Amino acid sequence: MEQNIIVSVDVVLFTLSEGQLKIVLLRRERDPYAGQLALPGGYIHADKDRDSLASAERVLLNKTGLVSPYLEQLYTFSGGVRDPRGWSLSVAYYALVHESLLVPDAELRFELWPVAAVPDLPFDHNRIVDHAAKRLRDKSTYTSLPCHLLPELFTLTELQQTYEHILGVALDKSVFRRKLPELDFLEAVPDAIRQGKHRPAQLYRLRPDRRLTIFDKTV
Amino acid sequence: MEQNIIVSVDVVLFTLSEGQLKIVLLRRERDPYAGQLALPGGYIHADKDRDSLASAERVLLNKTGLVSPYLEQLYTFSGGVRDPRGWSLSVAYYALVHESLLVPDAELRFELWPVAAVPDLPFDHNRIVDHAAKRLRDKSTYTSLPCHLLPELFTLTELQQTYEHILGVALDKSVFRRKLPELDFLEAVPDAIRQGKHRPAQLYRLRPDRRLTIFDKTV
DNA sequence: GTTTGTTATTTTCATATTACCACTAACAAA
DNA sequence: TTTGTTAGTGGTAATATGAAAATAACAAAC
């Protein structure tokens, strides 16, 4: 049976930089659209990849050097007009990573673009980005997702600011902190207290067994 | 480029029957697994289908006669071990429909099975069903989704019972009704009052522009 | 006609939760 | 010792919730 469908994965990789939600874009090496900024992506290799998640991991590793950030399937985009090469199907993923893990490299030339100002992208990549940003914002209202944009250890204030940056709204400090016992995806790291110029703050980490914790109600 | 990936769609079609959430299964006509119960599904036809949603609509029409029930992409399942024919990828959809639209037909031989007692299915169809049931239950806590399991017009009591059947918990009557102004996906149909043996009830319909209304908080 | 049974819909009210704002605590540097 | 800044806690009025009772509208029985 001959289907002639191009099957690929694309990844929207989010990070938080300068108080803004940004995504990773890179210049395409090959046609179509060689030289243009686009999402990291690539063909699914039936001989190499266990499943499409493995394809996404491979693409992330090859194009950004990342090993295991938070990675979740987003949506599958398909049709005859999205790629000039013909009918295509792309399983889109989105990933979250702390800025510090995006190390510039001579080999890997990627760029960070604010979600609020993503340029025109080839294929239907703008649609994919919009879809991913919406998913991230929606899910951030009731899950622990934003933790993955922070470093291993972080303070409650930093976590609250992360939620605020993603959601674009100010949250109440005492409400946010009162919710924490309920949201038991955090664990305080007793020995680690961040010293700064001012009052030191308790450091927390995301519990490894709670990488995606869902809570009812809103943050 | 030769990928040798089988690309298909599968649909989990839900309905509410005898107070139970059920899905449509049908006997496979062809190998592999000819004669076994499985989800309605089929290849994506790059020459016929605008996109994978169109494939799902076509499959639903051909195998169940349904035209436009609520239909939403669920998840994409892929890998080398799910189909004996080789590396395959299936874009799974789920659909909701009122029981009355599932008309038995000499041509279309499908069966209704309670979600709570789905038999062993070929491929990874049990996994797909579980995923769909979870999605439906989760989303029913904060959306208007359950409306699609009801007929065009329904009473508030019927709507509440539908939520209760899906979620498997009893809901408070007055709380449910108080939420309605907030949940403005319903519109009362002033002329239509259902007459029964007892006090007649106001009939409502789902606002056509609010087929999937999301509300924060829980039902 | 009146009563009774049943379902629809609203009201009441005690309790729990939330939003908002003010307060106290701990540190460095002036 | 004072001041500035960030961390963390408390108090309260408004709002939402959960449980139950009250009221309303009908058919059928009496």
Side-chain angles (χ1 to χ4, degrees):
Chain A
M1 175 182 167
E2 190 48 74
Q3 281 191 308
N4 274 331
I5 297 178
I6 303 161
V7 185
S8 57
V9 293
D10 288 301
V11 182
V12 183
L13 175 57
F14 290 100
T15 194
L16 204 52
S17 167
E18 300 167 318
Q20 281 188 303
L21 199 59
K22 299 186 180 180
I23 60 168
V24 166
L25 297 176
L26 34 80
R27 301 223 168 257
R28 288 180 58 79
E29 297 184 351
R30 288 179 240 177
D31 272 326
Y33 307 113
Q36 281 194 235
L37 283 173
L39 291 175
Y43 296 119
I44 289 179
H45 294 308
D47 47 348
K48 286 200 282 193
D49 300 329
R50 172 181 205 81
D51 53 21
S52 67
L53 177 63
S55 308
E57 286 169 345
R58 180 174 50 74
V59 162
L60 262 187
L61 178 60
N62 290 343
K63 309 228 168 167
T64 69
L66 288 172
V67 174
S68 57
Y70 181 86
L71 182 60
E72 181 188 310
Q73 189 181 308
L74 173 66
Y75 197 79
T76 295
F77 298 84
S78 60
V81 296
R82 51 187 301 280
D83 189 313
R85 286 166 288 188
W87 215 98
S88 67
L89 181 149
S90 172
V91 186
Y93 283 79
Y94 74 107
L96 307 179
V97 74
H98 182 245
E99 194 184 4
S100 66
L101 295 180
L102 287 175
V103 283
D105 184 295
E107 302 287 311
L108 313 164
R109 297 218 143 276
F110 51 77
E111 304 180 11
L112 282 184
W113 286 77
V115 169
V118 170
D120 278 348
L121 303 176
F123 311 106
D124 52 359
H125 284 192
N126 286 100
R127 203 175 142 219
I128 298 178
V129 171
D130 292 346
H131 203 100
K134 180 169 176 5
R135 171 82 63 91
L136 173 57
R137 295 206 170 94
D138 286 351
K139 225 158 167 171
S140 291
T141 65
Y142 64 95
T143 72
S144 58
L145 216 43
C147 294
H148 299 280
L149 292 171
L150 288 165
E152 166 80 8
L153 300 180
F154 49 84
T155 68
L156 292 186
T157 303
E158 288 165 349
L159 181 58
Q160 180 177 347
Q161 287 169 346
T162 302
Y163 274 94
E164 290 175 334
H165 284 133
I166 297 174
L167 300 176
V169 297
L171 302 175
D172 184 81
K173 185 167 47 162
S174 77
V175 172
F176 189 85
R177 296 171 107 92
R178 261 193 297 248
K179 283 230 170 78
L180 286 184
E182 169 191 349
L183 320 179
D184 63 343
F185 57 81
L186 294 181
E187 61 186 4
V189 184
D191 306 327
I193 306 282
R194 175 171 305 168
Q195 298 294 337
K197 301 196 182 223
H198 308 292
R199 176 174 176 177
Q202 175 64 58
L203 289 172
Y204 293 82
R205 78 156 59 90
L206 177 63
R207 289 178 49 175
D209 55 331
R210 293 287 175 79
R211 299 196 62 200
L212 179 60
T213 298
I214 298 173
F215 36 95
D216 45 347
K217 312 304 169 80
T218 293
V219 241
Chain B
M1 173 179 171
E2 190 50 73
Q3 282 191 307
N4 274 330
I5 297 177
I6 303 161
V7 186
S8 58
V9 294
D10 288 302
V11 182
V12 183
L13 175 57
F14 290 100
T15 195
L16 204 52
S17 166
E18 300 167 319
Q20 281 187 302
L21 199 58
K22 298 187 180 181
I23 61 169
V24 165
L25 296 177
L26 34 80
R27 300 223 168 258
R28 289 180 58 81
E29 297 184 350
R30 287 179 241 177
D31 271 326
Y33 308 113
Q36 281 194 236
L37 283 173
L39 292 175
Y43 295 119
I44 289 180
H45 293 308
D47 47 346
K48 284 199 285 194
D49 300 329
R50 172 181 205 80
D51 53 23
S52 67
L53 177 63
S55 308
E57 286 169 346
R58 179 173 51 75
V59 163
L60 262 187
L61 178 60
N62 290 343
K63 310 227 167 169
T64 69
L66 289 173
V67 174
S68 56
Y70 180 85
L71 182 59
E72 181 188 311
Q73 190 181 307
L74 172 65
Y75 196 78
T76 294
F77 298 83
S78 61
V81 296
R82 51 186 302 279
D83 188 313
R85 286 166 289 188
W87 215 98
S88 67
L89 181 150
S90 171
V91 186
Y93 284 78
Y94 74 107
L96 307 180
V97 73
H98 182 244
E99 194 183 1
S100 66
L101 296 179
L102 287 175
V103 283
D105 185 294
E107 301 287 312
L108 314 165
R109 298 218 144 274
F110 51 78
E111 304 180 12
L112 283 184
W113 286 77
V115 169
V118 171
D120 278 347
L121 303 176
F123 310 106
D124 52 359
H125 284 191
N126 286 100
R127 202 176 143 220
I128 298 179
V129 170
D130 292 345
H131 203 100
K134 179 169 176 7
R135 169 83 62 92
L136 174 57
R137 295 205 171 93
D138 286 352
K139 225 161 168 170
S140 291
T141 64
Y142 64 96
T143 72
S144 58
L145 217 43
C147 293
H148 298 281
L149 292 172
L150 288 166
E152 166 80 9
L153 299 180
F154 49 84
T155 68
L156 291 187
T157 302
E158 288 165 349
L159 182 58
Q160 180 176 348
Q161 288 169 345
T162 301
Y163 274 94
E164 290 175 333
H165 283 134
I166 298 175
L167 300 177
V169 297
L171 301 175
D172 184 82
K173 187 165 45 163
S174 74
V175 171
F176 189 84
R177 296 173 106 92
R178 260 192 302 238
K179 282 231 170 77
L180 286 184
E182 169 192 349
L183 320 180
D184 62 344
F185 56 82
L186 293 180
E187 61 186 6
V189 184
D191 305 329
I193 307 282
R194 173 170 306 168
Q195 298 295 338
K197 300 196 181 225
H198 309 290
R199 177 175 175 175
Q202 175 65 57
L203 288 172
Y204 294 82
R205 76 155 61 89
L206 177 63
R207 287 178 51 177
D209 55 332
R210 293 287 176 79
R211 298 196 62 195
L212 179 59
T213 298
I214 298 173
F215 37 94
D216 43 346
K217 314 302 168 83
T218 294
V219 232

